[in-house]
Amino acid sequence: MSKEITIMDALISLRPNVKWSMHNMDYSTIQWLEAIQTPPTEEELNSEVIRLQAAEAAAQQAAETHKQNAISKLSALGLSADEIAALGVK
């Protein structure tokens, strides 16, 4: 199951040590609770959301590929589908 990436995730990614608050995931409501050199623009946040979504999708694809490789290797060793499932690999 994929994690929904939001502008909150983008803010944390772009400015990890800065305190802020926001209402209803709305860029215009962001309040910076401490001075920062340069707040990210809405465009920068949207670009970071897209980048984080792509990274999440790639990680999920890699995990699925590793799982399928493991199933193939276990099958090649002679384990049945039921035996592989009993190991918790589905």
Side-chain angles (χ1 to χ4, degrees), residues 71-87:
I71 290 170
S72 294
K73 289 175 184 177
L74 291 169
S75 293
L77 290 172
L79 275 71
S80 70
D82 289 339
E83 290 169 325
I84 292 170
L87 294 172

Side-chain angles (χ1 to χ4, degrees), residues 26-73:
D26 181 357
Y27 177 83
S28 67
T29 67
I30 297 172
Q31 293 181 329
W32 301 101
L33 304 178
E34 56 188 53
I36 63 172
Q37 291 180 340
T38 307
T41 65
E42 187 170 12
E43 183 177 322
E44 288 172 318
L45 285 175
N46 290 335
S47 293
E48 185 66 0
V49 166
I50 292 167
R51 187 192 72 75
L52 291 171
Q53 288 171 335
E56 176 71 16
Q60 287 180 357
Q61 182 60 47
E64 183 60 30
T65 298
H66 292 312
K67 183 172 96 173
Q68 290 306 318
N69 288 341
I71 290 170
S72 294
K73 289 175 184 177

